[in-house]
Amino acid sequence: MSVVTAEVKGFAKINLVLDVLRKREDGYHEVEMVMQAVDLADKITIMPYQENRLETNYKYIPTDMNNLAMKAVALMQKEFPHLPPLLVKLEKNIPVAAGLAGGSADCAAVMLGINQLFDLQLSLIELEKLAAQLGSDIPFCLGGPTALATGRGEFIQKLPNCPKLYFVLIKPNFGASTPKVYGNLRLSEIEQHPSVQACVDALKIADGEQVLAALGNVLEWSTFELYPKVREIKLELQKAGCNAVLMSGSGPTVFAAFTDRKEAEDCYRKFKGKYQQVFLTETLDEEDLKERVKII
Ligand code: C5P
């Protein structure tokens, strides 16, 4: 008899806009972000097993219960004690510590997979509440594809689908520490904040060029100071003629965004040999997310 298995895609996210409003008493920062899911994805397979176990093709991430994917398993097992031990197979395609929410995407995918595999019938809102215990970006990764995230990032309001955009992502060969980047942010020294509203307005009228014009991320300020190479990559993309260039999340991934696929492909070809990790990816819409969990 074959074992019932869930196959789930965990999509990377980029931030079209990331603004930080203030530092909170609990150490987190109050943010306003427009988040967008893209088609760069990890593939996760979940099945019952004799013990909890993570197998992955990527050797630099922990495979014990400290991995976010396994934290999702433990949390679901705590909530639903009748669940059996699980084997999670993780095919990693999203670079780690990159500002693309790769770990959060895996965690969300595990929660979605378990919910469906065992017919737990948790609603998206219930899953979001549970996920917020494990990390600020995970609630977005459960849903998407385009949303406004507030609070510390865990409160999600759906936005209209983003008009098709293409991205060339460049991930330098080092990671950025999110706590370090937030810790180094001196909000009082930041003169110009990006406009979340301008991005939301652009999405409402489905104007891709206007979305590109609204891109902004206050964390660049901090990450560029800590990791000067990230600024260099941004300048390099701008010098190559890319008009819309931004760092994603707390970095260090920098992306150039395009409304035109061919321009994105040209840029991708230019940078592919130059950096080890260069990706060509595109926005997802509601339709694309429908098939993300498969029970086989
Ligand atoms: O929630 P998550 O575990 O992803 O956050 C990692 C770290 O990033 C936090 O411990 C905190 O230092 C920082 N952070 C923050 N404000 C946020 C999100 C994260 O200061 N809104």
Side-chain angles (χ1 to χ4, degrees), residues 204-269:
K204 282 187 181 156
I205 57 168
D207 185 331
E209 289 298 339
Q210 218 166 296
V211 173
L212 297 192
L215 294 180
N217 181 352
V218 286
L219 292 182
E220 282 187 339
W221 186 96
S222 172
T223 306
F224 288 177
E225 195 172 85
L226 291 168
Y227 310 94
K229 179 74 193 162
V230 183
R231 184 206 300 273
E232 272 176 41
I233 294 173
K234 179 166 178 170
L235 291 174
E236 210 179 326
L237 280 161
Q238 286 171 328
K239 260 196 211 142
C242 307
N243 297 320
V245 184
L246 197 73
M247 183 182 82
S248 185
S250 51
T253 300
V254 176
F255 65 85
F258 305 86
T259 53
D260 183 78
R261 179 197 288 270
K262 194 174 164 305
E263 278 181 40
E265 285 170 353
D266 287 347
C267 173
Y268 175 68
R269 271 193 293 274

Side-chain angles (χ1 to χ4, degrees), residues 2-290:
S2 64
V3 182
V4 183
T5 299
E7 252 184 37
V8 197
K9 279 185 179 163
F11 295 110
K13 66 88 194 152
I14 60 162
N15 299 85
L16 297 173
V17 182
L18 193 164
D19 194 17
V20 179
L21 308 183
R22 66 182 176 89
K23 184 159 187 209
R24 314 191 322 187
E25 273 88 65
D26 63 4
Y28 280 91
H29 291 74
E30 198 73 11
V31 294
E32 269 187 2
M33 311 187 282
V34 179
M35 321 262 274
Q36 174 62 48
V38 294
D39 72 347
L40 175 64
D42 289 344
K43 197 174 123 191
I44 287 107
T45 312
I46 305 158
M47 67 189 82
Y49 196 60
Q50 68 258 29
E51 58 182 357
N52 282 334
R53 182 179 165 83
L54 178 73
E55 288 176 2
T56 177
N57 63 333
Y58 188 78
K59 56 178 183 235
Y60 300 110
I61 48 176
T63 54
D64 60 12
M65 294 308 279
N66 283 318
N67 187 294
L68 264 182
M70 297 314 281
K71 284 190 178 172
V73 168
L75 179 62
M76 295 300 267
Q77 287 169 338
K78 188 170 137 240
E79 291 294 311
F80 298 94
H82 71 280
L83 291 179
L86 295 169
L87 171 63
V88 176
K89 292 184 183 173
L90 171 57
E91 183 190 309
K92 201 94 199 106
N93 300 307
I94 307 171
V96 300
L100 299 170
S104 300
D106 301 341
C107 183
V110 168
M111 293 181 79
L112 290 170
I114 292 176
N115 192 37
Q116 211 153 309
L117 190 58
F118 298 101
D119 198 22
L120 302 178
Q121 311 221 356
L122 288 174
S123 67
L124 181 57
I125 292 176
E126 288 167 322
L127 284 166
E128 282 174 3
K129 269 201 190 137
L130 277 176
Q133 299 175 32
L134 299 178
S136 309
D137 281 344
I138 305 164
F140 168 77
C141 295
L142 289 162
T146 309
L148 178 68
T150 55
R152 61 180 168 87
E154 84 277 37
F155 297 127
I156 304 299
Q157 285 166 259
K158 244 180 169 353
L159 289 170
N161 279 335
C162 187
K164 198 57 145 178
L165 295 178
Y166 304 91
F167 304 97
V168 175
L169 311 178
I170 299 183
K171 155 75 173 54
N173 61 358
F174 55 86
S177 151
T178 304
K180 236 172 127 179
V181 169
Y182 273 104
N184 182 50
L185 188 66
R186 298 188 294 282
L187 273 178
S188 59
E189 292 178 29
I190 291 177
E191 283 161 10
Q192 256 205 323
H193 286 256
S195 169
V196 170
Q197 194 55 49
C199 184
V200 172
D201 291 345
L203 291 168
K204 282 187 181 156
I205 57 168
D207 185 331
E209 289 298 339
Q210 218 166 296
V211 173
L212 297 192
L215 294 180
N217 181 352
V218 286
L219 292 182
E220 282 187 339
W221 186 96
S222 172
T223 306
F224 288 177
E225 195 172 85
L226 291 168
Y227 310 94
K229 179 74 193 162
V230 183
R231 184 206 300 273
E232 272 176 41
I233 294 173
K234 179 166 178 170
L235 291 174
E236 210 179 326
L237 280 161
Q238 286 171 328
K239 260 196 211 142
C242 307
N243 297 320
V245 184
L246 197 73
M247 183 182 82
S248 185
S250 51
T253 300
V254 176
F255 65 85
F258 305 86
T259 53
D260 183 78
R261 179 197 288 270
K262 194 174 164 305
E263 278 181 40
E265 285 170 353
D266 287 347
C267 173
Y268 175 68
R269 271 193 293 274
K270 234 181 251 171
F271 283 88
K272 208 173 84 166
K274 219 161 173 203
Y275 289 92
Q276 224 170 13
Q277 287 182 289
V278 183
F279 304 87
L280 180 59
T281 186
E282 61 188 63
T283 47
L284 294 172
D285 64 20
E286 203 68 50
E287 206 49 38
D288 300 318
L289 292 189
K290 281 191 180 146

